[in-house]
Amino acid sequence: MSEKETNQAEVETTEATETAVETQTTEKAAPKVSEAQANPEKFLEEFNWHNYEEGIEQVDDKKLQEFEKLVSENFVDTLDDEVVEGLVIHITDRDAIIDINAKSEGVISLNEFRYNPNLKVGDKVEVLIDVREDANGQLVLSHRKARVIKAWDRVNNAHDTGEIVNGFVKCRTKGGMIVDVFGIEAFLPGSQIDVKPIRDYDQYVNKTMEFKVVKINHEFKNIVVSHKALIEADIEEQKKEIISQLEKGQVLEGVVKNITSYGVFIDLGGVDGLVHITDLSWSRINHPNEIVELDQKLNVVILDFDEDKSRIQLGLKQLSKHPWEALGDTIKVGDKVKGKVVVIADYGAFIEVEEGVEGLVHVSEMSWSTHLRSAQDFVKVGDEIEAVILTLDREDRKMSLGIKQLTPDPWTDITTKYPVGSKHTGIVRNFTNFGVFVELEEGIDGLIYISDLSWTKKIKHPSEFCNVGDNLDVLVLELDVEGRKLSLGHKQTTDNPWDKYETEFALGTTHKAEISEMVDKGATVEFNEDIVAFVPSRHLEMEDGKKLKKGDTAEFKIIEFNKEFKRVVASHTAIFKEEEMANVKAAVAKAEASAAEAKPTLGDANDALQALKDKMDGKK
């Protein structure tokens, strides 16, 4: 039995003795009838035989009530779900003895006070009754559990009221930090550490910081805290003050907060503004990091903002004088300038002649050639080139440049170098549906019409005759100096074989050949690689009345030869039908006489020839 229990028993015994003495004294002084004597039946019915048998004396109800009142005022109710405050009355090597005003003192292991190495006798601590009494009758308490319960109460209260709490950053974890708040581990997301991106998380480890409890998951006992929320609250106040004072043209100091490919975000002290990449420098740049770096302090000017001033457009280059304004008066049209190619487009290249001052070299000003090509064929970005100023507009800040003007115009002495009738060799540059462009030299291009490519071949498209890049012999046919046009011919570099064929395949001459193809209304016969003659159906008839067919070899007599239209008509039947041949000659002579007499147009001549052909075919 503990010391407290012993003392309590002594008090109870003394009080019981005093009560008995009092009763005896009273009986001696004034004898009276007891309740048992007055009403024996009731006494026997209510008599506690168990207490009588156990030898327990009866205590007056009034005394019991006084005792219960004394206990309630001086001792705590040892429930196991209630946190109470205790007093450290003794500390051993392993435990701390805690008085919580119960029947006995409690014991707590010193391991639960590792966070508080300065614990001493007389300190008040919060405890939770872990085990009411152990095997030795000792009250077992828990300070750790009490801290957790109290901590959860404080965390919940901080979440509900928005109270700012202190926390100790213990370590890094995936996506953020672990923070000790009231002895409970809470999660601090990386995005909630600061308003600006954090590049070094380790700088916050082992630091005590202020936080706001932003989320609690009671089911999984998870707590999320934020330090950023406190900063944002302060920034919001600063932001309102700054925004109210913003004006266009105002110059402010800011810090580079973030760099993107399209611009730079500047922190103006709680308000963010954007400097677009085109407003960073008067010169062209590929990326903003060529001009600024993170956390750099710089002055910027307010260019514009929306009605609620939530989007602020800033400028950096506007703080310096425009390069066009600083451009010297000595520079003028016709001057030669040097610069660097900064941008290339299909239509030309932009040359930076001074910082922030650019001129355009159109692709047509890169070469004297009238055959336009892409600017990439002449220059590339980063090239240092020389050019001539063609136009200069200081008000509109525009300048056009030329490269070809640095070399003589090849058309100045074109009549001497390329007179009509002269032969040359050129390079096939490109095709059109109607001809081929041939470059004789840089800046001198000429056109060969499709009809001037070959004396004998029927060409539908120039690509059937040659390829781009081929060397081609040409003859200058026409020259237009003012229009810078050169008409060339390829077939004219060789003799016209039809001049020879006109004699070889004259009317009435006989040639042996094979029927190569059967075509509509007749057949074709190849006399050589250039001459393909047409044989009408009625002229395929042999002397025995049968007709020639594909693959048959026979003799054919030329009954028509037209050098201009490259038309040859032959007949096998005319060989043994002289009369038929005579009729044909008469018809041809008559047609030629009529043509000479009436001087018909080309269309009329074609109609006459067609009529003759129809007659020979037996249509009329």
Side-chain angles (χ1 to χ4, degrees):
M1 182 179 295
S2 67
E3 184 181 347
K4 276 196 172 186
E5 291 175 338
T6 304
N7 293 339
Q8 184 66 31
E10 291 176 355
V11 171
E12 292 176 356
T13 305
T14 304
E15 289 177 349
T17 305
E18 289 176 355
T19 302
V21 172
E22 247 179 42
T23 304
Q24 293 175 2
T25 305
T26 304
E27 287 177 351
K28 289 180 179 179
K32 69 175 184 178
V33 180
S34 65
E35 183 180 354
Q37 294 174 336
N39 193 349
E41 294 180 0
K42 182 178 180 183
F43 175 77
L44 291 174
E45 184 178 345
E46 297 178 354
F47 186 75
N48 192 331
W49 294 99
H50 175 74
N51 290 347
Y52 176 75
E53 292 174 357
E54 294 291 331
I56 300 174
E57 296 185 7
Q58 184 176 1
V59 181
D60 185 60
D61 291 340
K62 184 177 180 182
K63 293 292 183 179
L64 287 174
Q65 291 174 359
E66 290 178 357
F67 180 73
E68 289 175 356
K69 181 180 179 182
L70 182 65
V71 170
S72 64
E73 289 176 353
N74 293 278
F75 294 97
V76 299
D77 187 10
T78 57
L79 297 176
D80 56 5
D81 60 352
E82 183 180 358
V83 176
V84 298
E85 189 177 77
L87 181 68
V88 179
I89 59 175
H90 184 65
I91 296 178
T92 68
D93 293 339
R94 299 175 58 186
D95 303 315
I97 310 302
I98 312 295
D99 181 11
I100 60 170
N101 282 335
K103 293 181 181 180
S104 62
E105 291 80 13
V107 178
I108 298 178
S109 172
L110 288 178
N111 288 334
E112 297 191 22
F113 294 99
R114 282 182 296 180
Y115 76 95
N116 184 12
N118 299 320
L119 183 70
K120 61 183 183 298
V121 174
D123 287 352
K124 291 183 178 181
V125 295
E126 293 174 336
V127 297
L128 179 74
I129 299 171
D130 200 8
V131 180
R132 297 196 182 201
E133 288 183 0
D134 60 10
N136 300 321
Q138 190 73 52
L139 192 62
V140 179
L141 308 176
S142 173
H143 176 62
R144 179 181 58 80
K145 292 181 180 179
R147 285 186 70 210
V148 172
I149 292 174
K150 281 294 184 181
W152 270 101
D153 291 342
R154 294 173 68 182
V155 166
N156 279 282
N157 183 64
H159 178 260
D160 296 337
T161 61
E163 176 189 352
I164 298 173
V165 299
N166 288 326
F168 178 75
V169 182
K170 296 175 66 176
C171 61
R172 279 192 62 178
T173 187
K174 184 178 180 181
M177 317 287 287
I178 298 299
V179 180
D180 186 320
V181 179
F182 304 137
I184 302 176
E185 288 189 348
F187 178 59
L188 172 63
S191 61
Q192 296 298 315
I193 298 176
D194 205 336
V195 290
K196 58 184 179 181
I198 302 300
R199 291 181 286 277
D200 181 15
Y201 284 76
D202 293 332
Q203 62 179 312
Y204 296 96
V205 177
N206 296 327
K207 283 188 177 181
T208 300
M209 301 169 61
E210 291 184 334
F211 299 98
K212 190 173 183 180
V213 181
V214 293
K215 186 178 180 181
I216 297 178
N217 187 320
H218 294 278
E219 182 179 357
F220 298 102
K221 299 293 183 181
N222 291 336
I223 304 171
V224 179
V225 295
S226 171
H227 180 67
K228 176 182 176 181
L230 303 178
I231 301 176
E232 287 178 335
D234 295 336
I235 289 177
E236 194 61 32
E237 294 299 323
Q238 300 174 17
K239 185 176 179 180
K240 290 179 181 178
E241 183 179 352
I242 293 173
I243 286 179
S244 64
Q245 301 174 359
L246 290 181
E247 294 181 3
K248 291 182 182 179
Q250 185 178 7
V251 177
L252 300 173
E253 184 183 59
V255 178
V256 177
K257 179 179 179 182
N258 192 20
I259 299 176
T260 68
S261 59
Y262 56 85
V264 178
F265 287 94
I266 306 294
D267 183 358
L268 301 175
V271 181
D272 290 347
L274 173 65
V275 182
H276 195 269
I277 187 171
T278 56
D279 290 317
L280 283 171
S281 171
W282 293 114
S283 301
R284 291 179 186 263
I285 58 174
N286 295 318
H287 197 277
N289 56 21
E290 298 175 18
I291 304 296
V292 298
E293 57 186 21
L294 285 173
D295 300 326
Q296 179 183 349
K297 288 185 178 181
L298 44 80
N299 290 330
V300 289
V301 60
I302 297 177
L303 302 180
D304 200 1
F305 45 74
D306 54 13
E307 292 183 359
D308 57 1
K309 299 181 181 178
S310 60
R311 292 187 178 183
I312 304 171
Q313 182 181 346
L314 305 174
L316 180 63
K317 71 179 184 181
Q318 288 79 4
L319 295 176
S320 60
K321 194 174 182 180
H322 196 290
W324 273 90
E325 297 174 3
L327 194 64
D329 295 333
T330 56
I331 189 170
K332 61 185 181 300
V333 174
D335 287 351
K336 292 181 181 180
V337 291
K338 290 183 178 180
K340 182 174 70 173
V341 179
V342 290
V343 175
I344 293 180
D346 288 338
Y347 55 84
F350 288 92
I351 313 299
E352 187 177 50
V353 296
E354 289 188 20
E355 185 178 359
V357 178
E358 295 177 1
L360 171 65
V361 181
H362 193 270
V363 67
S364 62
E365 302 298 338
M366 292 183 175
S367 170
W368 289 109
S369 175
T370 55
H371 170 55
L372 295 182
R373 284 173 276 173
S374 176
Q376 287 90 336
D377 295 336
F378 299 96
V379 294
K380 60 181 183 293
V381 174
D383 282 354
E384 295 283 346
I385 65 169
E386 188 176 29
V388 176
I389 299 177
L390 304 180
T391 63
L392 182 63
D393 189 339
R394 295 179 184 272
E395 292 184 3
D396 292 337
R397 295 170 179 171
K398 291 182 179 180
M399 180 190 302
S400 63
L401 306 173
I403 299 175
K404 70 182 184 181
Q405 287 77 9
L406 296 173
T407 58
D409 185 354
W411 281 84
T412 53
D413 58 348
I414 188 72
T415 55
T416 303
K417 295 175 65 175
Y418 302 102
V420 174
S422 59
K423 290 183 180 181
H424 308 276
T425 300
I427 300 174
V428 176
R429 286 303 182 192
N430 71 328
F431 300 136
T432 67
N433 290 330
F434 51 84
V436 180
F437 280 99
V438 176
E439 185 181 60
L440 299 180
E441 66 172 81
E442 182 72 26
I444 304 295
D445 290 346
L447 174 64
I448 304 175
Y449 282 98
I450 195 169
S451 59
D452 289 319
L453 286 172
S454 174
W455 290 111
T456 57
K457 292 182 180 179
K458 292 182 179 179
I459 302 170
K460 294 181 179 179
H461 192 272
S463 59
E464 300 173 8
F465 184 80
C466 58
N467 299 312
V468 172
D470 286 352
N471 288 325
L472 209 60
D473 292 332
V474 295
L475 185 76
V476 178
L477 303 180
E478 294 180 12
L479 180 59
D480 182 359
V481 178
E482 292 183 2
R484 290 177 177 260
K485 291 181 180 179
L486 197 61
S487 178
L488 306 174
H490 172 66
K491 71 180 185 181
Q492 289 81 0
T493 59
T494 60
D495 294 332
N496 186 353
W498 283 86
D499 292 338
K500 180 181 68 172
Y501 296 149
E502 189 175 21
T503 303
E504 184 180 350
F505 295 93
L507 287 175
T509 57
T510 303
H511 306 273
K512 192 174 184 178
E514 180 184 330
I515 301 290
S516 57
E517 288 290 338
M518 300 301 295
V519 297
D520 187 29
K521 299 179 182 180
T524 58
V525 178
E526 294 182 5
F527 291 123
N528 58 34
E529 63 179 3
D530 297 327
I531 303 296
V532 178
F534 173 69
V535 182
S537 266
R538 62 188 296 269
H539 289 275
L540 291 171
E541 186 179 345
M542 294 184 290
E543 196 169 359
D544 60 3
K546 295 180 181 180
K547 285 192 175 183
L548 295 170
K549 58 184 182 298
K550 183 178 178 180
D552 290 346
T553 300
E555 289 189 344
F556 296 91
K557 186 173 285 190
I558 305 301
I559 60 176
E560 181 184 345
F561 184 91
N562 190 313
K563 182 175 71 173
E564 183 179 355
F565 294 102
K566 299 178 177 60
R567 176 180 171 84
V568 179
V569 180
S571 171
H572 173 70
T573 307
I575 292 177
F576 57 87
K577 287 187 178 181
E578 293 296 336
E579 184 181 350
E580 184 72 24
M581 188 60 190
N583 292 336
V584 171
K585 286 182 178 180
V588 171
K590 185 178 180 181
E592 289 176 351
S594 298
E597 203 176 297
K599 294 184 180 179
T601 62
L602 182 60
D604 294 334
N606 287 339
D607 291 340
L609 290 173
Q610 184 62 43
L612 177 61
K613 179 177 178 296
D614 292 340
K615 182 177 180 181
M616 293 172 62
D617 291 343
K619 289 186 177 180
K620 294 184 181 179

